[in-house]
Amino acid sequence: MAAPASRQVRRRARAAPRPRSAEDWWWDRLAPRGSGYHLLQSDSMLLVLSEPGPARPRAQRRASRRTPRQPPRGPSAAAKPKAGLRSEAAAAPAPAPAPTPTPEEGPDAGWGDRIPLEILVQIFGLLVAADGPMPFLGRAARVCRRWQEAASQPALWHTVTLSSPLVGRPAKGGVKAEKKLLASLEWLMPNRFSQLQRLTLIHWKSQVHPVLKLVGECCPRLTFLKLSGCHGVTADALVMLAKACCQLHSLDLQHSMAGSRMRKLWLTYSSQTTAILGALLGSCCPQLQVLEVSTGINRNSIPLQLPVEALQKGCPQLQVLRLLNLMWLPKPPGRGVAPGPGFPSLEELCLASSTCNFVSNEVLGRLLHGSPNLRLLDLRGCARITPAGLQDLPCRELEQLHLGLYGTSDRLTLAKEGSPFLTQKWCHTLRELDLSGQGFSEKDLEQALAAFLSTPGGSHPALCSLNLRGTRVTPSTVSSVISGCPGLLYLNLESCRCLPRGLKRAYRGLEEVQWCLEQLLTSPSPS
């Protein structure tokens, strides 16, 4: 009888209530029973939330986790007691059944489920506006069903960048990866990107046409498209996209063409640029306002042939024209050809190049003969342009004039006179003037810069940036310019052989420019 008695003592000891721990005491202190608050614990925080009903005690939650499993039912599970112990088991009193805990409400679902969907979408919208939709929306959709519903709203997916998953990998691996991503896009486009406004494709090699087809079918609100490093872009795909997306107004691409409603177009010069420009000349984009054609990392040695008059007829609303670092070979107008209509709305013309180009006074006159509103003229590297050709332009309100020569003046015979024609014509409007590398003489530069000392009406000149790098400007001329232009904030005097040592550098800011004036006034003139 001793063995059964010891077993009974052990069972009673196990059924005895567990003493309260310090953790349970803190839980009751933070959210007492009947206080209307309950605790919600996560991996890194402890939340005290209000709720009409009482919270479930932590001890009961632990007890529910330790509830023993029910033995399996069946004949094999019912083990027969031994014969020697049958009488003892019958004589021993049956243990008292454990009290059944009263059923209480389940654990709190979390504050995320109680926030209205509209408020949650607005919160997500603030995060998307700051950091973009990815990867935040993809991660938020995995939190709970309510967050997944909020993250699935098409209004949040307004800006998307799609990059090829295997950039720099072998061609076969990249094609397979793009096909897998295309299969995902076939579901994402109608379900997530229906309100897409800005799309960027980076380094797509083989599946550009199917992606653009999906965009045209599922993204009617698209306004901006950028294709960077993409291959296989066809003119038909872009024409289809321009027809399907009525709000598309900006296109940034390397090898493609624009649509009839296009206003901005950036091109990298390549073998396909001629066909694209041919479409522009055929009035494909009558509303085009910005056209930029530039070279990539590998400079293209094939000259760009662009007829000026045809471009003026095809893009009459052009406001910005940039032909950057190109070997532009303008086509002659031909005998008996009437002058083109010009660019009446042109405000910026940039023909900057690091090498010698074929732009002359005659070509510049054909470009700007009908552009009275020009504000910026960048002719850096155009060594064939002379001050006499600039004097005949109809532009009266020019604000920025860049005539710097960088590394191209060593093999050319530069003009030594004529700079006063430029300053006398635009001294009242010029804000930035770049004459670096020009071969004007000391006397010619003195006469040119003296025009800023006597502006009409007695008002101060608007000049705030002056680049005289590598010119023959003298100390007296520089002192007069600084004294007569109180708003001068940038002055570049590098490599000016006529200036004293220690002053041949660039000055930025009003204080540095005034310090240069003090040094020029106090230092002796070079011998």
Side-chain angles (χ1 to χ4, degrees), residues 356-378:
C356 181
N357 53 33
F358 299 96
V359 179
S360 61
N361 293 336
E362 185 266 339
V363 175
L364 190 64
R366 289 164 54 191
L367 275 171
L368 299 177
H369 72 88
S371 305
N373 300 321
L374 192 69
R375 296 291 185 271
L376 187 151
L377 181 58
D378 191 349

Side-chain angles (χ1 to χ4, degrees), residues 23-32 35-42 45-51 53-58 61 107-108:
E23 184 179 3
D24 295 334
W25 182 83
W26 274 108
W27 278 72
D28 291 341
R29 291 280 295 177
L30 293 174
S35 62
Y37 296 90
H38 72 281
L39 298 179
L40 181 63
Q41 185 181 14
S42 64
M45 65 181 66
L46 184 66
L47 302 177
V48 181
L49 304 177
S50 61
E51 193 177 45
R56 187 180 183 184
R58 183 176 178 85
R61 291 199 301 273
D108 181 66

